[in-house]
Amino acid sequence: MTLEFTVPNMACSACAETITKAVMAIDPAAKIAADPQTKQVKIETGAEATAVKNAITDAGYTVA
Ligand SMILES: [Cu+2]
């Protein structure tokens, strides 16, 4: 499934990288496109939306 989240405090490419790694920690096969410019994170994953959301939140980011 494809998930789309807005992460308002994703400020730069390092943030995008951190979010990407956090999601890949729960689903190594996930395809993640995190854009600090638009604050959008698009994730293709087999993981539960809640699990992905929690992973991003635990990494220190806000999921809107
Ligand atoms: Cu950053």
PDB file of all heavy atoms in Angstrom, residues 19-43:
ATOM      1  N   ILE A  19      14.187   9.916   8.668  1.00  0.00           N
ATOM      2  CA  ILE A  19      12.838   9.355   8.512  1.00  0.00           C
ATOM      3  C   ILE A  19      12.889   8.105   7.640  1.00  0.00           C
ATOM      4  O   ILE A  19      12.268   7.089   7.957  1.00  0.00           O
ATOM      5  CB  ILE A  19      11.887  10.427   7.924  1.00  0.00           C
ATOM      6  CG1 ILE A  19      11.644  11.512   8.967  1.00  0.00           C
ATOM      7  CG2 ILE A  19      10.573   9.808   7.449  1.00  0.00           C
ATOM      8  CD1 ILE A  19      11.005  12.776   8.439  1.00  0.00           C
ATOM      9  N   THR A  20      13.666   8.183   6.563  1.00  0.00           N
ATOM     10  CA  THR A  20      13.814   7.029   5.677  1.00  0.00           C
ATOM     11  C   THR A  20      14.353   5.828   6.443  1.00  0.00           C
ATOM     12  O   THR A  20      13.828   4.721   6.348  1.00  0.00           O
ATOM     13  CB  THR A  20      14.755   7.388   4.503  1.00  0.00           C
ATOM     14  OG1 THR A  20      14.191   8.485   3.787  1.00  0.00           O
ATOM     15  CG2 THR A  20      14.936   6.211   3.561  1.00  0.00           C
ATOM     16  N   LYS A  21      15.400   6.058   7.255  1.00  0.00           N
ATOM     17  CA  LYS A  21      16.005   4.968   8.030  1.00  0.00           C
ATOM     18  C   LYS A  21      15.042   4.417   9.069  1.00  0.00           C
ATOM     19  O   LYS A  21      15.003   3.206   9.311  1.00  0.00           O
ATOM     20  CB  LYS A  21      17.294   5.453   8.707  1.00  0.00           C
ATOM     21  CG  LYS A  21      18.447   5.512   7.742  1.00  0.00           C
ATOM     22  CD  LYS A  21      19.730   5.948   8.431  1.00  0.00           C
ATOM     23  CE  LYS A  21      20.885   6.040   7.427  1.00  0.00           C
ATOM     24  NZ  LYS A  21      21.922   6.960   7.898  1.00  0.00           N
ATOM     25  N   ALA A  22      14.275   5.301   9.682  1.00  0.00           N
ATOM     26  CA  ALA A  22      13.315   4.875  10.709  1.00  0.00           C
ATOM     27  C   ALA A  22      12.261   3.952  10.097  1.00  0.00           C
ATOM     28  O   ALA A  22      11.879   2.943  10.698  1.00  0.00           O
ATOM     29  CB  ALA A  22      12.664   6.093  11.354  1.00  0.00           C
ATOM     30  N   VAL A  23      11.811   4.297   8.899  1.00  0.00           N
ATOM     31  CA  VAL A  23      10.802   3.466   8.239  1.00  0.00           C
ATOM     32  C   VAL A  23      11.421   2.149   7.771  1.00  0.00           C
ATOM     33  O   VAL A  23      10.833   1.079   7.927  1.00  0.00           O
ATOM     34  CB  VAL A  23      10.141   4.213   7.067  1.00  0.00           C
ATOM     35  CG1 VAL A  23       9.161   3.306   6.322  1.00  0.00           C
ATOM     36  CG2 VAL A  23       9.414   5.461   7.571  1.00  0.00           C
ATOM     37  N   MET A  24      12.649   2.217   7.259  1.00  0.00           N
ATOM     38  CA  MET A  24      13.303   1.005   6.780  1.00  0.00           C
ATOM     39  C   MET A  24      13.646   0.046   7.912  1.00  0.00           C
ATOM     40  O   MET A  24      13.811  -1.155   7.684  1.00  0.00           O
ATOM     41  CB  MET A  24      14.535   1.358   5.956  1.00  0.00           C
ATOM     42  CG  MET A  24      14.108   2.024   4.657  1.00  0.00           C
ATOM     43  SD  MET A  24      15.372   2.108   3.398  1.00  0.00           S
ATOM     44  CE  MET A  24      15.402   0.421   2.820  1.00  0.00           C
ATOM     45  N   ALA A  25      13.737   0.579   9.131  1.00  0.00           N
ATOM     46  CA  ALA A  25      13.997  -0.269  10.295  1.00  0.00           C
ATOM     47  C   ALA A  25      12.819  -1.214  10.538  1.00  0.00           C
ATOM     48  O   ALA A  25      13.002  -2.329  11.025  1.00  0.00           O
ATOM     49  CB  ALA A  25      14.270   0.583  11.525  1.00  0.00           C
ATOM     50  N   ILE A  26      11.603  -0.761  10.206  1.00  0.00           N
ATOM     51  CA  ILE A  26      10.452  -1.646  10.400  1.00  0.00           C
ATOM     52  C   ILE A  26      10.071  -2.380   9.119  1.00  0.00           C
ATOM     53  O   ILE A  26       9.434  -3.420   9.164  1.00  0.00           O
ATOM     54  CB  ILE A  26       9.219  -0.907  10.993  1.00  0.00           C
ATOM     55  CG1 ILE A  26       8.776   0.257  10.103  1.00  0.00           C
ATOM     56  CG2 ILE A  26       9.485  -0.436  12.409  1.00  0.00           C
ATOM     57  CD1 ILE A  26       7.336   0.638  10.344  1.00  0.00           C
ATOM     58  N   ASP A  27      10.453  -1.829   7.959  1.00  0.00           N
ATOM     59  CA  ASP A  27      10.214  -2.514   6.693  1.00  0.00           C
ATOM     60  C   ASP A  27      11.374  -2.243   5.729  1.00  0.00           C
ATOM     61  O   ASP A  27      11.368  -1.245   5.012  1.00  0.00           O
ATOM     62  CB  ASP A  27       8.887  -2.055   6.075  1.00  0.00           C
ATOM     63  CG  ASP A  27       8.625  -2.742   4.736  1.00  0.00           C
ATOM     64  OD1 ASP A  27       9.383  -3.665   4.379  1.00  0.00           O
ATOM     65  OD2 ASP A  27       7.657  -2.354   4.053  1.00  0.00           O
ATOM     66  N   PRO A  28      12.353  -3.149   5.716  1.00  0.00           N
ATOM     67  CA  PRO A  28      13.543  -2.944   4.873  1.00  0.00           C
ATOM     68  C   PRO A  28      13.204  -2.881   3.387  1.00  0.00           C
ATOM     69  O   PRO A  28      13.998  -2.361   2.599  1.00  0.00           O
ATOM     70  CB  PRO A  28      14.395  -4.186   5.166  1.00  0.00           C
ATOM     71  CG  PRO A  28      13.886  -4.724   6.462  1.00  0.00           C
ATOM     72  CD  PRO A  28      12.431  -4.369   6.514  1.00  0.00           C
ATOM     73  N   ALA A  29      12.046  -3.372   3.014  1.00  0.00           N
ATOM     74  CA  ALA A  29      11.667  -3.373   1.601  1.00  0.00           C
ATOM     75  C   ALA A  29      10.861  -2.138   1.209  1.00  0.00           C
ATOM     76  O   ALA A  29      10.467  -1.984   0.053  1.00  0.00           O
ATOM     77  CB  ALA A  29      10.863  -4.632   1.293  1.00  0.00           C
ATOM     78  N   ALA A  30      10.625  -1.253   2.153  1.00  0.00           N
ATOM     79  CA  ALA A  30       9.806  -0.063   1.889  1.00  0.00           C
ATOM     80  C   ALA A  30      10.495   0.863   0.892  1.00  0.00           C
ATOM     81  O   ALA A  30      11.717   0.965   0.863  1.00  0.00           O
ATOM     82  CB  ALA A  30       9.535   0.683   3.187  1.00  0.00           C
ATOM     83  N   LYS A  31       9.666   1.498   0.065  1.00  0.00           N
ATOM     84  CA  LYS A  31      10.182   2.535  -0.837  1.00  0.00           C
ATOM     85  C   LYS A  31       9.709   3.863  -0.289  1.00  0.00           C
ATOM     86  O   LYS A  31       8.508   4.102  -0.158  1.00  0.00           O
ATOM     87  CB  LYS A  31       9.636   2.334  -2.250  1.00  0.00           C
ATOM     88  CG  LYS A  31      10.345   1.216  -2.974  1.00  0.00           C
ATOM     89  CD  LYS A  31       9.826   1.090  -4.402  1.00  0.00           C
ATOM     90  CE  LYS A  31      10.365  -0.179  -5.044  1.00  0.00           C
ATOM     91  NZ  LYS A  31       9.433  -0.711  -6.047  1.00  0.00           N
ATOM     92  N   ILE A  32      10.663   4.736   0.023  1.00  0.00           N
ATOM     93  CA  ILE A  32      10.315   5.977   0.695  1.00  0.00           C
ATOM     94  C   ILE A  32      10.788   7.171  -0.109  1.00  0.00           C
ATOM     95  O   ILE A  32      11.944   7.245  -0.514  1.00  0.00           O
ATOM     96  CB  ILE A  32      10.955   6.020   2.102  1.00  0.00           C
ATOM     97  CG1 ILE A  32      10.504   4.803   2.917  1.00  0.00           C
ATOM     98  CG2 ILE A  32      10.584   7.312   2.832  1.00  0.00           C
ATOM     99  CD1 ILE A  32      11.630   4.101   3.601  1.00  0.00           C
ATOM    100  N   ALA A  33       9.880   8.105  -0.312  1.00  0.00           N
ATOM    101  CA  ALA A  33      10.243   9.370  -0.929  1.00  0.00           C
ATOM    102  C   ALA A  33       9.893  10.478   0.058  1.00  0.00           C
ATOM    103  O   ALA A  33       8.720  10.770   0.296  1.00  0.00           O
ATOM    104  CB  ALA A  33       9.489   9.557  -2.230  1.00  0.00           C
ATOM    105  N   ALA A  34      10.923  11.042   0.688  1.00  0.00           N
ATOM    106  CA  ALA A  34      10.718  12.099   1.677  1.00  0.00           C
ATOM    107  C   ALA A  34      11.247  13.411   1.103  1.00  0.00           C
ATOM    108  O   ALA A  34      12.411  13.502   0.734  1.00  0.00           O
ATOM    109  CB  ALA A  34      11.433  11.756   2.975  1.00  0.00           C
ATOM    110  N   ASP A  35      10.380  14.391   1.012  1.00  0.00           N
ATOM    111  CA  ASP A  35      10.758  15.673   0.418  1.00  0.00           C
ATOM    112  C   ASP A  35      10.677  16.804   1.452  1.00  0.00           C
ATOM    113  O   ASP A  35       9.582  17.234   1.824  1.00  0.00           O
ATOM    114  CB  ASP A  35       9.824  15.961  -0.755  1.00  0.00           C
ATOM    115  CG  ASP A  35      10.231  17.219  -1.522  1.00  0.00           C
ATOM    116  OD1 ASP A  35      11.059  18.002  -1.004  1.00  0.00           O
ATOM    117  OD2 ASP A  35       9.714  17.414  -2.636  1.00  0.00           O
ATOM    118  N   PRO A  36      11.840  17.271   1.916  1.00  0.00           N
ATOM    119  CA  PRO A  36      11.852  18.334   2.944  1.00  0.00           C
ATOM    120  C   PRO A  36      11.205  19.630   2.451  1.00  0.00           C
ATOM    121  O   PRO A  36      10.727  20.426   3.250  1.00  0.00           O
ATOM    122  CB  PRO A  36      13.340  18.564   3.225  1.00  0.00           C
ATOM    123  CG  PRO A  36      14.056  17.433   2.587  1.00  0.00           C
ATOM    124  CD  PRO A  36      13.182  16.884   1.505  1.00  0.00           C
ATOM    125  N   GLN A  37      11.200  19.835   1.141  1.00  0.00           N
ATOM    126  CA  GLN A  37      10.626  21.044   0.558  1.00  0.00           C
ATOM    127  C   GLN A  37       9.114  21.094   0.746  1.00  0.00           C
ATOM    128  O   GLN A  37       8.558  22.095   1.172  1.00  0.00           O
ATOM    129  CB  GLN A  37      10.940  21.084  -0.946  1.00  0.00           C
ATOM    130  CG  GLN A  37      11.578  22.371  -1.386  1.00  0.00           C
ATOM    131  CD  GLN A  37      13.088  22.353  -1.195  1.00  0.00           C
ATOM    132  OE1 GLN A  37      13.792  21.718  -1.951  1.00  0.00           O
ATOM    133  NE2 GLN A  37      13.578  23.045  -0.182  1.00  0.00           N
ATOM    134  N   THR A  38       8.466  19.988   0.417  1.00  0.00           N
ATOM    135  CA  THR A  38       7.004  19.932   0.501  1.00  0.00           C
ATOM    136  C   THR A  38       6.529  19.361   1.828  1.00  0.00           C
ATOM    137  O   THR A  38       5.332  19.395   2.121  1.00  0.00           O
ATOM    138  CB  THR A  38       6.428  19.058  -0.631  1.00  0.00           C
ATOM    139  OG1 THR A  38       6.936  17.723  -0.486  1.00  0.00           O
ATOM    140  CG2 THR A  38       6.825  19.589  -1.997  1.00  0.00           C
ATOM    141  N   LYS A  39       7.463  18.797   2.613  1.00  0.00           N
ATOM    142  CA  LYS A  39       7.156  18.139   3.901  1.00  0.00           C
ATOM    143  C   LYS A  39       6.355  16.855   3.723  1.00  0.00           C
ATOM    144  O   LYS A  39       5.761  16.351   4.666  1.00  0.00           O
ATOM    145  CB  LYS A  39       6.385  19.078   4.874  1.00  0.00           C
ATOM    146  CG  LYS A  39       6.918  20.487   4.980  1.00  0.00           C
ATOM    147  CD  LYS A  39       8.290  20.526   5.595  1.00  0.00           C
ATOM    148  CE  LYS A  39       8.794  21.949   5.740  1.00  0.00           C
ATOM    149  NZ  LYS A  39      10.255  22.000   5.929  1.00  0.00           N
ATOM    150  N   GLN A  40       6.321  16.356   2.509  1.00  0.00           N
ATOM    151  CA  GLN A  40       5.561  15.139   2.225  1.00  0.00           C
ATOM    152  C   GLN A  40       6.457  13.912   2.280  1.00  0.00           C
ATOM    153  O   GLN A  40       7.579  13.934   1.794  1.00  0.00           O
ATOM    154  CB  GLN A  40       4.949  15.217   0.820  1.00  0.00           C
ATOM    155  CG  GLN A  40       3.920  16.323   0.638  1.00  0.00           C
ATOM    156  CD  GLN A  40       2.628  16.045   1.363  1.00  0.00           C
ATOM    157  OE1 GLN A  40       2.112  14.930   1.327  1.00  0.00           O
ATOM    158  NE2 GLN A  40       2.107  17.047   2.054  1.00  0.00           N
ATOM    159  N   VAL A  41       5.936  12.857   2.877  1.00  0.00           N
ATOM    160  CA  VAL A  41       6.624  11.570   2.860  1.00  0.00           C
ATOM    161  C   VAL A  41       5.689  10.561   2.218  1.00  0.00           C
ATOM    162  O   VAL A  41       4.567  10.353   2.680  1.00  0.00           O
ATOM    163  CB  VAL A  41       6.997  11.100   4.279  1.00  0.00           C
ATOM    164  CG1 VAL A  41       7.787   9.797   4.226  1.00  0.00           C
ATOM    165  CG2 VAL A  41       7.793  12.162   5.014  1.00  0.00           C
ATOM    166  N   LYS A  42       6.158   9.962   1.135  1.00  0.00           N
ATOM    167  CA  LYS A  42       5.383   8.955   0.434  1.00  0.00           C
ATOM    168  C   LYS A  42       6.072   7.619   0.641  1.00  0.00           C
ATOM    169  O   LYS A  42       7.274   7.496   0.390  1.00  0.00           O
ATOM    170  CB  LYS A  42       5.318   9.318  -1.058  1.00  0.00           C
ATOM    171  CG  LYS A  42       4.122   8.750  -1.756  1.00  0.00           C
ATOM    172  CD  LYS A  42       4.043   9.275  -3.187  1.00  0.00           C
ATOM    173  CE  LYS A  42       2.961   8.525  -3.944  1.00  0.00           C
ATOM    174  NZ  LYS A  42       2.884   8.961  -5.348  1.00  0.00           N
ATOM    175  N   ILE A  43       5.320   6.637   1.109  1.00  0.00           N
ATOM    176  CA  ILE A  43       5.919   5.358   1.471  1.00  0.00           C
ATOM    177  C   ILE A  43       5.133   4.210   0.860  1.00  0.00           C
ATOM    178  O   ILE A  43       3.928   4.097   1.061  1.00  0.00           O
ATOM    179  CB  ILE A  43       5.941   5.199   3.010  1.00  0.00           C
ATOM    180  CG1 ILE A  43       6.660   6.373   3.660  1.00  0.00           C
ATOM    181  CG2 ILE A  43       6.597   3.877   3.409  1.00  0.00           C
ATOM    182  CD1 ILE A  43       6.265   6.602   5.103  1.00  0.00           C
TER     183      ILE A  43
END
